[in-house]
Amino acid sequence: MLVHDLTIPAAASFDEDLALLPAALDDNVPAYVLAKVAHSDWLAISYVPDSANIRDKMLYASTRASLLKALGSTLFTDTIFATSKADLTPEAYASHRRHVTAPKPLSAREQEMAEVRAAESSGAYEGSRARVNHIGAGVGLIWSQPLEDAVRLFAQAEHGAIVVVEIDRPTETLVLKSSSDASIDNLATLLPSSQPSYALFAWPHQYTTPPRREIVFIYSCPSGSPIKDRMIYSSGVYSTYLAAKNLLLGASPAAHIAARKIETSDPAELDEAHLRAELGLDAAPADAQSPGNRAGNEERKSFARPRGPARKR
């Protein structure tokens, strides 16, 4: 049975009152202590000295949770399990609070991922100083002249092609890595497998009416790529996409740019089914959706009304 033993009236600050607590406790006898920290905040202290007998230790260990539940666990903003009077000094309590409020320790991998998420949410990458993109996309990375020329030629072409872009980190400049003809079948092999990159992929397809040459912006960031590169590329995605869109439309106003960007951590997954799903394209080719074919399909699938029951004679 729980028995009330002692009440210490609040006289000064919580730390000053807490300094009086060790003198009220026995060196060998466990006790529960309820301390009022603020107007409506309470601290639950379970004091079980190392020198207490085993029976008392087991009793207090088995009843601590039920006691807090019976009193109303929502009233207690903190709990302390003390094994000596030294654990109940103002200094010890301050150390306890620092431990509780400190950030949780992260592994090296978790720390890297936290840095990547922070970089992704910080907006456009500005490097050591803000730079104004000279092709009208606001603050972003500088585009090299060979890259701009390659993108203009790419926009004016009519066949499947790809322009792969990388960032020169020392100068914070977007540069041309490669430019070549491409098809959906070899798209995955044209992107770097061990480092991030951006790409513009022109995909002629028949999943719309009429068929069109769809230009898709791709951000590839393989999971094994260096953490510094991943941070820079992830934070520069949006500004690079806007700059590429402006440059493409300036070179070819009729160019059809996909409304959605493709982001991947594994270039090998970039096949026809993946792009079709990401871009929201219909599974059936455009000619299968033509009016003539639709009419034929409806005729073949005309509804056959079931016959009613036979009349009784």
Side-chain angles (χ1 to χ4, degrees), residues 158-203:
E158 297 180 356
H159 56 276
I162 190 171
V163 173
V164 181
V165 183
E166 63 181 6
I167 298 175
D168 181 57
R169 283 174 52 187
T171 62
E172 301 172 7
T173 302
L174 293 167
V175 297
L176 176 65
K177 182 175 179 62
S178 64
S179 178
S180 62
D181 293 346
S183 68
I184 191 65
D185 296 327
N186 68 346
L187 170 62
T189 64
L190 299 176
L191 295 173
S193 60
S194 60
Q195 66 183 55
S197 63
Y198 305 130
L200 296 171
F201 173 56
W203 179 29

Side-chain angles (χ1 to χ4, degrees), residues 34 46 75 106 115 132 148 165 197 205 214 226 247 261:
L34 308 180
S46 178
L75 297 175
L106 301 177
E115 292 176 357
V132 178
E148 288 191 28
V165 183
S197 63
H205 62 74
E214 192 116 18
L247 186 56
K261 303 186 297 293

